[in-house]
Amino acid sequence: MTIDEIVVVVCGYYGLNHHRLLGGARSRTYTLARRMAIVLARELTVHSGGEVAERMGCADSAVIYAWRELQRQLADARVARDYAAIRRRLEEAA
């Protein structure tokens, strides 16, 4: 599994443009999707936080922040459902 494959699946799930996701679009949907992609990239690949940050076009600290924020957002049933569905798609594709 690669970071690019994760980005494609996350963007496909939300119906988003991957160039905008990697480009730093700041709408709520893109922010959540970017966090999902960052966290899943850390969980499902062998890449370090720095490598994920580089590929996602963000600072190393953004990887840590994304993880913390997503953990907080998972209390929302919709976010938890989305996270589980995306993770399942990625695991089935692997």
Side-chain angles (χ1 to χ4, degrees), residues 6 11 17 21 25 28 37-38 42 45 47-49 51 59-61 79-80 82-84 87 92:
I6 291 169
C11 286
N17 178 297
L21 182 95
R28 181 174 289 157
I38 288 170
R42 281 295 291 132
T45 71
H47 296 290
S48 70
E51 291 168 331
D60 292 0
S61 60
V79 174
D82 289 353
Y83 176 82
R87 186 174 176 112
E92 289 171 357

Side-chain angles (χ1 to χ4, degrees), residues 8-59:
V8 167
V9 170
V10 170
C11 286
Y13 183 84
Y14 286 108
L16 303 175
N17 178 297
H18 73 278
H19 294 295
R20 290 194 64 204
L21 182 95
L22 296 175
R26 296 191 184 268
S27 73
R28 181 174 289 157
T29 303
Y30 275 97
T31 301
L32 176 60
R34 188 176 305 108
R35 286 180 187 150
M36 292 261 190
I38 288 170
V39 170
L40 289 165
R42 281 295 291 132
E43 291 178 350
L44 300 176
T45 71
V46 297
H47 296 290
S48 70
E51 291 168 331
V52 171
E54 183 179 328
R55 180 63 193 106
M56 297 295 293
C58 61

